Amino acid sequence: DESADTPRVAPRTAASTPAGGPHPRAQHAEAEPRGAQAPQLVTMGVVGVGVGLYGRDVVTWFSEQLEGGEDAPGEDAADGAGPLSGFAEFVSLAKDVTFWGLCTATARLVSKALGVVVASYSVFIAGVVWYERKDAFAEAKDLVAAGGDDSTGVSIAVEPWGLAVRPNAVKKQSKLGVIYFPGALVDEVAYAPVAAKLAAKMKAPVCVIKVPLRLATVFPRAARARAKAARAFVVDAAAAAAAETSTTTTTTEAGTAPKPPVSMRWVYGGHSLGGFAAAAALRVKDADAVGLLLHASLCELADVPEAIKILQIVAERDTIVPASKALEPDDGGRVTVKVIKGGNHAGFAHYGPQRFPRRDGARAITLDDQIDQVVQATSKWAVGPPSQKGGLLAASGTNNNNGSSAQPAE
């Protein structure tokens, strides 16, 4: 007999089984007898051995088919292409398309990056140009606004191409004219005082050219075109003045003939980079050009025609174009060099101080003193001393008689 304290275990019946049925794993374990998985293990082992023995051959065969090999099983060697050669061509084409696609995308990215760099650099340069541009002093602006200086007998007219500075009440105007290019970023009005003194001293017209963005070297074609317009303006004005004081015809054995146009000879010059622009303009064949004027400027002698005389004026305290870089004067008189003691780079015009591309030296003389020395040296070289006839017109064999005047080539 069992004790009353011993718990009774109820027999396992269908009623005690969960409603969802037995657990799948338990059911699977009860369904499969022990050792039923052995054939599967044997099959996997055989497959593994086969892959180990023949896998390399299978991979080699598949590679040959992609390459269009001749040794593909079941194919004639004379066919020259495997059954997967078309697929290989497709893969090759896909590779090419992918490669060129990557190249195109890379090129687009590089072009965009370069565009950003160029745009940033352009903005930077524009900022420097705007910040470093030099306006004229008030004295120069007032001189241009007044139309000239009665004390020196010089008139100044503002033309589309620049400033026309001409002497007034001159009985016999010189047949020599000056085309002058301003320095980089400097207002052409700043050169009005020196041009006025030079026109009065030489008794010759001086044309200060207005260039786009104040950069003659950046826009050489525009600079040459405006110089040509200035020359035409001076010649027409001289012809009109001559017509007022004399008849417009001459009598010859063949009868009455019109007078030839006024003959002019020209000096091209400039300050700083304006001198470079003047030298570049003289590379174009011009029979009427006789001189090159360099104010605080440099040039390559090889770029200047042999027939052109050169005057270079430098300043002792100029740090932009140091006097040590001046040309060497020659014995033949082609190159003349003048050094202004105590002068600086900005002392060739009414502007300043010069800070770009580096800070200019301090001037030890007054601005008027430096400009007077520049005018004196330039006039002596161009037209000769007042006591004797000479200068560039005498060197070129030109007198003050009228003759034909050629226009510079484009």
Side-chain angles (χ1 to χ4, degrees), residues 225-312:
R226 295 183 181 187
K228 182 179 179 180
R231 288 173 54 163
F233 174 86
V234 171
V235 170
D236 292 343
E244 294 178 358
T245 57
S246 62
T247 61
T248 58
T249 59
T250 56
T251 302
T252 62
E253 295 180 358
T256 302
K259 284 188 174 182
V262 175
S263 176
M264 297 286 295
R265 295 295 179 262
W266 296 94
V267 172
Y268 276 69
H271 172 232
S272 193
L273 282 181
F276 283 92
L282 290 177
R283 296 174 188 172
V284 181
K285 186 177 180 181
D286 187 354
D288 290 339
V290 295
L292 174 61
L293 179 59
L294 301 174
H295 286 171
S297 184
L298 303 172
C299 77
E300 292 291 338
L301 290 179
D303 297 335
V304 182
E306 288 288 339
I308 300 296
K309 302 291 184 180
I310 301 173
L311 172 63
Q312 184 184 42

Side-chain angles (χ1 to χ4, degrees), residues 65-134:
Q65 305 320 302
L66 291 178
E67 296 176 359
E70 299 180 358
D71 298 330
E75 295 290 337
D76 187 2
D79 293 339
L84 298 180
S85 60
F87 179 73
E89 294 178 359
F90 172 76
V91 172
S92 177
L93 179 61
K95 289 181 179 179
D96 293 340
V97 171
T98 303
F99 173 75
W100 288 113
L102 291 175
C103 291
T104 303
T106 303
R108 290 177 179 175
L109 290 177
V110 171
S111 63
K112 289 182 179 179
L114 290 177
V116 172
V117 172
V118 171
S120 301
Y121 184 74
S122 301
V123 171
F124 172 76
I125 293 299
V128 171
V129 170
W130 179 262
Y131 180 76
E132 293 296 338
R133 63 193 181 98
K134 301 299 179 183

Side-chain angles (χ1 to χ4, degrees), residues 98-399:
T98 303
F99 173 75
W100 288 113
L102 291 175
C103 291
T104 303
T106 303
R108 290 177 179 175
L109 290 177
V110 171
S111 63
K112 289 182 179 179
L114 290 177
V116 172
V117 172
V118 171
S120 301
Y121 184 74
S122 301
V123 171
F124 172 76
I125 293 299
V128 171
V129 170
W130 179 262
Y131 180 76
E132 293 296 338
R133 63 193 181 98
K134 301 299 179 183
D135 291 332
F137 290 158
E139 296 86 347
K141 294 180 179 180
D142 294 341
L143 179 63
V144 173
D149 187 0
D150 293 336
S151 62
T152 57
V154 174
S155 65
I156 300 177
V158 179
E159 300 295 333
W161 47 262
L163 302 179
V165 185
R166 296 176 295 167
N168 298 326
V170 176
K171 294 181 180 179
K172 200 172 186 180
Q173 179 175 295
S174 174
K175 301 304 179 183
L176 188 68
V178 178
I179 300 294
Y180 199 91
F181 295 99
L185 307 180
V186 183
D187 186 5
E188 70 276 2
V189 176
Y191 298 89
V194 63
K197 291 184 177 182
L198 191 59
K201 188 74 173 178
M202 293 176 54
K203 296 180 175 58
V206 178
C207 302
V208 183
I209 306 301
K210 179 180 181 180
V211 295
L213 298 181
R214 303 179 183 178
L215 293 170
T217 54
V218 178
F219 302 96
R221 292 180 61 88
R224 290 196 301 268
R226 295 183 181 187
K228 182 179 179 180
R231 288 173 54 163
F233 174 86
V234 171
V235 170
D236 292 343
E244 294 178 358
T245 57
S246 62
T247 61
T248 58
T249 59
T250 56
T251 302
T252 62
E253 295 180 358
T256 302
K259 284 188 174 182
V262 175
S263 176
M264 297 286 295
R265 295 295 179 262
W266 296 94
V267 172
Y268 276 69
H271 172 232
S272 193
L273 282 181
F276 283 92
L282 290 177
R283 296 174 188 172
V284 181
K285 186 177 180 181
D286 187 354
D288 290 339
V290 295
L292 174 61
L293 179 59
L294 301 174
H295 286 171
S297 184
L298 303 172
C299 77
E300 292 291 338
L301 290 179
D303 297 335
V304 182
E306 288 288 339
I308 300 296
K309 302 291 184 180
I310 301 173
L311 172 63
Q312 184 184 42
I313 303 179
V314 294
E316 181 186 26
R317 298 196 172 192
D318 186 351
T319 61
I320 311 300
V321 181
S324 59
K325 294 184 178 181
L327 300 174
E328 291 292 336
D330 58 356
D331 296 334
R334 182 194 179 201
V335 179
T336 303
V337 178
K338 167 71 175 178
V339 180
I340 299 179
K341 301 294 183 181
N344 67 353
H345 191 81
F348 288 84
H350 276 235
Y351 80 98
Q354 180 87 25
R355 295 188 299 258
F356 183 81
R358 64 185 65 90
R359 185 175 294 275
D360 193 11
R363 192 172 53 246
I365 56 178
T366 64
L367 178 59
D368 290 337
D369 189 8
Q370 180 169 342
I371 288 181
D372 288 342
Q373 292 187 50
V374 170
V375 170
Q376 180 67 26
T378 303
S379 177
K380 182 179 179 180
W381 167 78
V383 299
S387 59
Q388 61 184 11
K389 294 181 179 181
L392 297 178
L393 292 179
S396 63
T398 303
N399 53 33

